[in-house]
Amino acid sequence: MEHVTVKDLVLGSGGVLVSGSEEAPVSHIRLDSRQVEPGDLFVPLLGERVDSHRFLPQVMDQGAAAVLTSQELTLPEGGAGCAVIRVEDTKKALQKIGSYLRDRLTLPLVGVTGSVGKTTTREMIAAALSARFRVYKTPGNSNSQVGVPVTLSEITENDQVGVIELGMSEPGEMTVIANIARVDMAVITNIGITHIGQLGSQENILREKLHITDGMKDGGLLILNGDDPLLKGVQGREGLRTVYYGTGENCDFRAVDICFEDGFPSFTAVHGADRQRVRLNVMGQHNVMNAMAAMAVCAECGMTMEEAARGLLTGQGFKNRQQVHETGRFTILDDSYNACPESMKAAFQVFKELHPERRHVAVLAEMRELGRETESAHRQVGVFAAEAGIHLLVTLGAECRALTEEFKKRSGAPVAEFTDKDQMTAYLNQALQDGDCVLFKGANSMALFKVAARYMENRPE
């Protein structure tokens, strides 16, 4: 944070300064007590297992400039210099601070949401914009009701455009986030079945995603995937402009003449009379769509298509999302961050193009938050795996039984099923062969990224 004092935090949160100086400067917002450094604000949140208020004495000793609290607090020795701000609810106070800090920003903000590809699209938009602007983008996965306020607090006066990822998993969540971020441009990548267990239907997911426009001023721009069956007929609310990107004739920003060069997509971007050849440094045809979203954002920011194409060349993807690692023994496609049928299909499309002459091993963990669609979604992935020509299928989790059943109907390749991660890893140590291409993909909560990391570092033991 820049030029932020305790007084700003009191004003923003609507809280009461219990102790400490209101003139004290504050540098960062921390939600994790282990990350607190001198000059930081610590916000203790009430989690499912831990109430972080218990860490207040610790962060005061670490030199925190300020803390929020919804509880009575006895100041520890050595913590007297820490400002204590009393609020009714620390989570809501954090959101109010985020909204207060948003009011101080003058740069344009681009918001990105969607069922699949939010982070990759965010990265590609930021890369494209970087050809002309200094860009601030959401770090990591800070796209939630508590992550977005922290993200906004880190934007500096030197940044010229912000690219903010907005995520949601339950009804009403997007409205909260969107009213904090109040973006100027909103990109929706697609409407899939991620979080359908909480939201009930794709139509409900669409309605929730469209709340990204809440808080947008008249004249704002809604940028939609014109190839998506549910988005292609959507128009933004009155006062907003709507444009579409994709490959169809209905799209304002359109990709044509798509081909692949050494496995990487190449295409011609068309917007009105303008045409620009584009090459990407990330694999997968689905990334053509992400690149076209970036083209639309860049045009709104006054960039030429040539500038945007040059910026896209700098994009390298994001950790645990379709990252290819050549280890010397294996070729690893690490797509372990999360999974749904749409992203599984995209992963297989990339995976089958990696060294087609080699053996391909798919290590898949179960998908989560799919509700009544769980079994059918896993069966769908079994079909994708068979169509991709997988030579060995290894699964983790009981829900993968439907996946393997469907795979076995269509493929004679061997299958190994596990519900224990350590047992699966022990099997992989014996089953993987030098030269194998190995895909790791599953729900983030299955922590398959930990297994992938061992093989990327050539240390399976």
Side-chain angles (χ1 to χ4, degrees):
M1 293 186 290
E2 292 183 327
H3 315 302
V4 173
T5 65
V6 168
K7 182 178 181 179
D8 291 312
L9 300 179
V10 174
L11 288 172
S13 67
V16 176
L17 183 61
V18 176
S19 65
S21 169
E22 65 177 16
E23 302 304 323
V26 184
S27 51
H28 301 282
I29 299 175
R30 305 292 186 190
L31 309 182
D32 187 334
S33 62
R34 296 166 295 183
Q35 297 176 349
V36 172
E37 297 179 352
D40 290 346
L41 164 69
F42 176 62
V43 181
L45 299 174
L46 179 62
E48 293 182 4
R49 299 180 181 177
V50 177
D51 181 349
S52 293
H53 281 82
R54 63 187 287 190
F55 302 119
L56 289 176
Q58 171 191 324
V59 301
M60 289 179 172
D61 286 340
Q62 291 169 214
V67 298
L68 300 186
T69 179
S70 60
Q71 302 174 3
E72 293 291 343
L73 181 63
T74 301
L75 293 177
E77 284 189 32
C82 178
V84 177
I85 303 170
R86 182 69 183 268
V87 297
E88 290 188 9
D89 183 302
T90 55
K91 179 179 175 181
K92 290 181 179 179
L94 171 63
Q95 293 168 349
K96 289 179 180 179
I97 290 171
S99 184
Y100 174 85
L101 296 176
R102 171 66 180 96
D103 285 339
R104 294 166 42 149
L105 298 175
T106 58
L107 80 175
L109 288 185
V110 183
V112 183
T113 195
S115 295
V116 183
K118 292 186 295 294
T119 301
T120 304
T121 302
R122 176 196 82 199
E123 293 294 304
M124 296 185 80
I125 292 171
L129 288 169
S130 69
R132 180 185 289 193
F133 302 106
R134 176 179 169 125
V135 182
Y136 179 85
K137 61 185 180 182
T138 297
N141 195 41
S142 298
N143 63 7
S144 65
Q145 294 186 52
V146 296
V148 168
V150 176
T151 293
L152 292 172
S153 74
E154 293 295 325
I155 297 176
T156 74
E157 60 188 14
N158 293 322
D159 295 315
Q160 297 172 299
V161 183
V163 185
I164 309 298
E165 183 177 330
L166 307 180
M168 47 75 67
S169 59
E170 59 188 37
E173 189 170 16
M174 182 59 77
T175 292
V176 172
I177 298 170
N179 278 310
I180 297 170
R182 302 194 296 279
V183 299
D184 301 286
M185 286 174 267
V187 177
I188 305 182
T189 62
N190 47 56
I191 303 298
I193 64 172
T194 304
H195 307 308
I196 201 169
Q198 294 94 318
L199 292 163
S201 69
Q202 282 186 285
E203 289 71 24
N204 288 342
I205 293 171
L206 170 63
R207 279 191 286 272
E208 289 296 325
K209 293 293 186 185
L210 284 170
H211 281 297
I212 192 174
T213 63
D214 292 357
M216 288 179 70
K217 297 178 182 178
D218 285 353
L221 181 65
L222 181 60
I223 302 172
L224 302 176
N225 178 346
D227 289 1
D228 185 276
L230 291 177
L231 287 173
K232 64 183 181 181
V234 169
Q235 283 284 332
R237 62 169 172 79
E238 185 177 352
L240 300 182
R241 294 172 293 136
T242 305
V243 300
Y244 303 90
Y245 67 90
T247 60
E249 293 290 340
N250 61 310
C251 296
D252 304 279
F253 294 83
R254 188 161 50 98
V256 300
D257 302 329
I258 300 170
C259 62
F260 294 86
E261 301 174 10
D262 299 323
F264 294 93
S266 177
F267 60 95
T268 298
V270 179
H271 175 52
D274 294 333
R275 299 174 69 88
Q276 175 65 46
R277 196 65 191 169
V278 181
R279 187 185 186 281
L280 302 179
N281 279 330
V282 288
M283 301 183 75
Q285 184 165 339
H286 60 284
N287 278 314
V288 173
M289 298 296 292
N290 301 334
M292 291 311 302
M295 284 282 186
V297 171
C298 288
E300 178 69 8
C301 291
M303 293 175 62
T304 66
M305 294 180 74
E306 187 279 330
E307 284 180 302
R310 178 157 38 89
L312 282 168
L313 267 176
T314 68
Q316 300 294 329
F318 199 73
K319 183 180 180 182
N320 302 132
R321 293 167 174 86
Q322 292 198 355
Q323 295 288 284
V324 178
H325 301 266
E326 298 285 356
T327 72
R329 287 193 64 200
F330 312 116
T331 297
I332 305 294
L333 178 57
D334 177 17
D335 200 10
S336 57
Y337 176 74
N338 219 336
C340 63
E342 297 91 344
S343 66
M344 283 280 195
K345 184 176 184 179
F348 283 125
Q349 288 173 340
V350 172
F351 189 49
K352 67 183 181 182
E353 299 299 328
L354 290 177
H355 305 296
E357 74 284 359
R358 299 185 188 176
R359 191 173 77 140
H360 284 62
V361 180
V363 183
L364 307 180
E366 62 186 31
M367 301 175 288
R368 298 280 176 85
E369 300 182 353
L370 298 177
R372 63 177 181 269
E373 302 291 333
T374 297
E375 181 177 347
S376 62
H378 282 85
R379 291 193 179 280
Q380 191 176 10
V381 173
V383 175
F384 296 154
E387 292 175 345
I390 299 302
H391 300 101
L392 170 62
L393 176 64
V394 181
T395 64
L396 177 65
E399 299 292 355
C400 286
R401 175 58 60 86
L403 189 163
T404 57
E405 286 177 356
E406 213 62 38
F407 180 81
K408 289 174 182 176
K409 292 178 184 177
R410 294 166 169 78
S411 173
V415 175
E417 302 176 67
F418 298 91
T419 55
D420 181 88
K421 190 181 302 162
D422 291 336
Q423 292 179 5
M424 182 192 74
T425 303
Y427 170 81
L428 290 173
N429 292 345
Q430 301 299 318
L432 292 183
Q433 303 171 8
D434 288 356
D436 280 350
C437 295
V438 190
L439 165 66
F440 290 93
K441 188 162 182 64
N444 193 46
S445 58
M446 297 296 287
L448 206 56
F449 57 88
K450 295 181 180 179
V451 182
R454 302 175 72 90
Y455 292 95
M456 288 187 287
E457 298 168 8
N458 273 330
R459 54 177 184 89
E461 301 81 12

